[in-house]
Amino acid sequence: MKDIIIIGAGVVGSLLARKLSSYNLDVLVLDKENDVGNVTSMANSAIVHSGYDPIPGSLKAKLNVEGNRLFPNLCKELDVSFSQIGSLTVAIFDEQLPMLEELANRSKENGVEVKLLSKEEVLKMEPNLTSEVKGALLAPSAGIVNPFTLVVHAMENAVDNGVKLCLGEEVTSIKDNGDFFSVITKKNTYEAKVVIDAAGVYSDKIHSMIEKIDYEVKPRKGEYYVLDHYGKMLVNHTIFPLPSEKGKGILVSPTTSGNFIVGPSSEWVDDKEDLSTDKPTLVNVKAQAQMMVPNIPFNEVIRTFSGLRPTPSTHDFILGTAKSNNRFILASGIESPGLASSPAIANYLVDNFVSKVIKLTPKKDFNPYVRKRFVPSKMTSKERNELIKAHPEYGKIICNCEKVSLGEILDEFSRSVPPHTIKAVKKRTRAGFGKCQGGFCQPLVLALIASNYKMKKTDVLLDKDGSYIAHYLTKEAK
Ligand SMILES: Cc1cc2nc3c(=O)[nH]c(=O)nc-3n(C[C@H](O)[C@H](O)[C@H](O)COP(=O)(O)OP(=O)(O)OC[C@H]3O[C@@H](n4cnc5c(N)ncnc54)[C@H](O)[C@@H]3O)c2cc1C
């Protein structure tokens, strides 16, 4: 019998697991995917919003502002790239200027420091903005984060502190036995005193396994372009249009890897697995973005992708307990700003709900830090030479576009949440993220996975179950 089962290893489930690993508890995390952070938490804008626009008094407003405050230290402990570059919400038309003032007032209510800027001030900061810009709202506390390593390192830290993680475990039903739950997956049955539902777009489905619910979580798709990082500096801040009922709108932003991201769209879809992109939507994303930044070099687009927002019909995060049992805890409908709010969501749930149903005794030997990684591309040449002298595998480049070395990939296999697929290696090291999108490094990464796990090359997956790349060894080709 476990103390707690968390269903879902996205950013919310992983940071919850990490927080709970600081207490003397037996915690198990179940996820249907073959890697952590493989759904919404890896396909978003990666902005740690300042919290200027959620409705004052909402959970979104409170936890976004608190989450933003927690991010710098969290990323230090978890060795995650994070940069507080600030955001600019721009007015392009005169009639939008009063809306900027309204947003400034809302920011004050939410406790977020902002500054209204004149046209001249904005253009001085961001010369690539349209000359039509009329003014902007600067939110200096907004940041950008690497969302892939955030989830991996949070879970790695949780596992290092005693949490058990079982991947490839899709929960199909849950039985409420009064003082404990049976959680049934396609492979096993697990028992726990407390269950936490952190299942993203499926969080309503998981909740409805134990009682009738009066809300739904619908997938709202966002499509993006990713630009290469070899071009000139395009923008220094995250550039937003004014928010609307559809969300924060289409942004243009640097990423922590030096690329630029343009998007997302906002479209309701029926299928919770629909991650397709389509030309009309992307053409519209392009047109909207060009209204703010006209000279975006779309010839440098290296990829398009989409993510699904777990949008709740309640319009706010659903954090609390089931009506029928206060030991079934909900982290449901965590749409944007869910990434920015995630560390605060974890604290809020543990302090207000977990602590009411289970005794929390702090673990004396809890270690908040992950083992540091060596990343030669971020080192000075002196540091890099010393590293390569001591560990020659860091001098052998596997991914030329992103300059990822063999040493970095081998290190990942030795960690507590190791990668098993080509995409899992990509999310951790960036091998395959560059201009050639894995054209050169993919066969090498495939061979490294096969050799590390002593498996056939034809059994290595690109990503999800069934996504084999090599069907026959060359000499066996039919
Ligand atoms: C287009 C877009 C842009 C966004 N931009 C931002 C942004 O810039 N800033 C920001 O703060 N937020 C942003 N968000 C929101 C943010 O990405 C989400 O709030 C956050 O990732 C949600 O995390 P999660 O852990 O709740 O869900 P997920 O990451 O989806 O994790 C849920 C997990 O549950 C697992 N699961 C589901 N069903 C089952 C089952 N039956 N059995 C076992 N496991 C199961 C899934 O496999 C998954 O791993 C954006 C979202 C999108 C889509």
Side-chain angles (χ1 to χ4, degrees):
M1 168 87 60
K2 296 282 168 191
D3 290 318
I4 301 178
I5 287 179
I6 300 171
I7 303 172
V11 69
V12 174
S14 300
L15 283 169
L16 262 166
R18 176 182 189 249
K19 170 83 181 165
L20 290 170
S21 74
S22 68
Y23 301 101
N24 286 313
L25 292 170
D26 191 0
V27 179
L28 169 67
V29 182
L30 300 174
D31 199 291
K32 65 178 170 57
E33 297 284 311
N34 56 20
D35 192 21
V36 299
N38 219 34
V39 189
T40 301
S41 297
M42 67 159 189
N44 53 59
S45 312
I47 310 297
V48 178
H49 298 288
S50 60
Y52 67 83
D53 78 319
I55 308 287
S58 62
L59 282 169
K60 280 184 184 174
K62 176 182 151 85
L63 299 173
N64 182 169
V65 176
E66 177 62 11
N68 177 287
R69 200 183 58 76
L70 295 171
F71 253 89
N73 191 46
L74 177 74
C75 291
K76 207 178 283 167
E77 290 178 342
L78 294 181
D79 191 20
V80 174
S81 302
F82 169 70
S83 181
Q84 217 144 20
I85 58 172
S87 68
L88 284 170
T89 305
V90 299
I92 311 278
F93 306 106
D94 283 326
E95 54 273 29
Q96 290 179 328
L97 285 171
M99 289 157 75
L100 271 191
E101 280 184 29
E102 261 175 53
L103 265 189
N105 292 335
R106 194 187 281 189
S107 312
K108 261 185 222 135
E109 277 189 72
N110 286 347
V112 179
E113 190 202 319
V114 291
K115 193 175 172 218
L116 280 167
L117 303 180
S118 68
K119 176 183 179 118
E120 291 69 31
E121 286 171 314
V122 195
L123 284 174
K124 202 165 166 205
M125 281 178 155
E126 293 290 0
N128 285 325
L129 278 185
T130 170
S131 56
E132 293 296 310
V133 68
K134 300 291 184 296
L137 186 74
L138 170 69
S141 62
I144 49 176
V145 69
N146 180 329
F148 315 109
T149 50
L150 175 63
V151 182
V152 174
H153 294 195
M155 188 59 82
E156 190 177 304
N157 191 230
V159 171
D160 288 345
N161 283 294
V163 165
K164 183 151 194 281
L165 169 69
C166 287
L167 295 170
E169 290 275 11
E170 180 172 346
V171 175
T172 51
S173 62
I174 303 170
K175 194 162 168 245
D176 182 349
N177 303 302
D179 52 357
F180 73 99
F181 297 94
S182 304
V183 177
I184 297 127
T185 72
K186 284 187 173 167
K187 297 180 193 159
N188 294 297
T189 297
Y190 300 94
E191 291 176 344
K193 296 171 203 158
V194 174
V195 168
I196 306 180
D197 171 6
V201 281
Y202 289 103
S203 50
D204 54 346
K205 186 174 165 199
I206 295 289
H207 183 183
S208 66
M209 288 176 185
I210 66 141
E211 64 183 8
K212 199 168 173 337
I213 62 169
D214 54 8
Y215 66 93
E216 61 178 329
V217 174
K218 286 183 71 178
R220 191 160 51 89
K221 198 199 283 182
E223 298 184 28
Y224 293 90
Y225 295 94
V226 183
L227 273 57
D228 205 353
H229 52 64
Y230 293 111
K232 281 193 222 120
M233 199 58 185
L234 184 63
V235 288
N236 306 295
H237 301 78
T238 299
I239 311 294
F240 289 110
L242 279 155
S244 70
E245 76 284 353
K246 281 189 141 191
K248 291 177 196 67
I250 286 156
L251 59 81
V252 182
S253 181
T255 72
T256 52
S257 311
N259 302 65
F260 291 93
I261 190 168
V262 180
S265 58
S266 174
E267 320 133 58
W268 293 108
V269 290
D270 296 324
D271 182 356
K272 294 193 180 196
E273 300 289 325
D274 176 1
L275 288 171
S276 59
T277 53
D278 64 279
K279 195 169 173 192
T281 305
L282 286 169
V283 166
N284 185 43
V285 167
K286 184 175 180 178
Q288 301 277 331
Q290 282 172 326
M291 283 176 72
M292 301 187 301
V293 187
N295 60 347
I296 298 170
F298 281 100
N299 59 333
E300 287 188 17
V301 168
I302 53 170
R303 188 179 180 84
T304 60
F305 73 94
S306 76
L308 297 174
R309 304 169 181 89
T311 302
S313 52
T314 58
H315 307 295
D316 201 358
F317 298 152
I318 300 169
L319 303 174
T321 67
K323 288 192 199 91
S324 56
N325 193 333
N326 66 349
R327 286 172 303 99
F328 193 92
I329 294 169
L330 306 168
S332 184
I334 312 296
E335 63 172 340
S336 187
L339 185 71
S341 310
S342 52
I345 292 175
N347 290 351
Y348 179 81
L349 286 177
V350 173
D351 295 348
N352 292 288
F353 305 104
V354 180
S355 66
K356 301 286 186 294
V357 289
I358 208 154
K359 193 167 161 17
L360 298 179
T361 317
K363 209 179 260 170
K364 286 206 182 80
D365 56 354
F366 172 71
N367 176 8
Y369 294 94
V370 291
R371 174 157 62 88
K372 277 257 180 204
R373 282 161 169 78
F374 295 119
V375 184
S377 59
K378 290 193 178 161
M379 293 176 167
T380 61
S381 45
K382 184 169 177 275
E383 288 167 339
R384 196 159 43 232
N385 287 341
E386 277 167 15
L387 175 68
I388 294 169
K389 213 183 267 173
H391 303 281
E393 63 277 18
Y394 283 92
K396 182 159 192 250
I397 296 297
I398 297 290
C399 169
N400 270 306
C401 304
E402 299 295 304
K403 302 282 172 280
V404 180
S405 66
L406 173 64
E408 288 162 84
I409 297 176
L410 294 180
D411 178 47
E412 290 300 331
F413 293 131
S414 72
R415 305 185 75 97
S416 32
V417 185
H420 285 86
T421 65
I422 289 174
K423 184 149 161 206
V425 170
K426 176 178 172 181
K427 286 189 315 192
R428 284 159 177 77
T429 63
R430 293 195 57 75
F433 256 117
K435 201 172 203 101
C436 87
Q437 289 288 296
F440 285 96
C441 66
Q442 199 177 78
L444 301 175
V445 173
L446 185 146
L448 287 171
I449 293 173
S451 137
N452 181 68
Y453 295 109
K454 300 192 177 25
M455 61 200 279
K456 287 200 255 166
K457 285 184 183 166
T458 46
D459 287 340
V460 175
L461 293 171
L462 175 69
D463 180 17
K464 301 199 191 258
D465 286 353
S467 59
Y468 301 106
I469 296 179
H471 291 280
Y472 304 101
L473 296 182
T474 314
K475 295 221 162 127
E476 294 173 13
K478 292 176 185 158

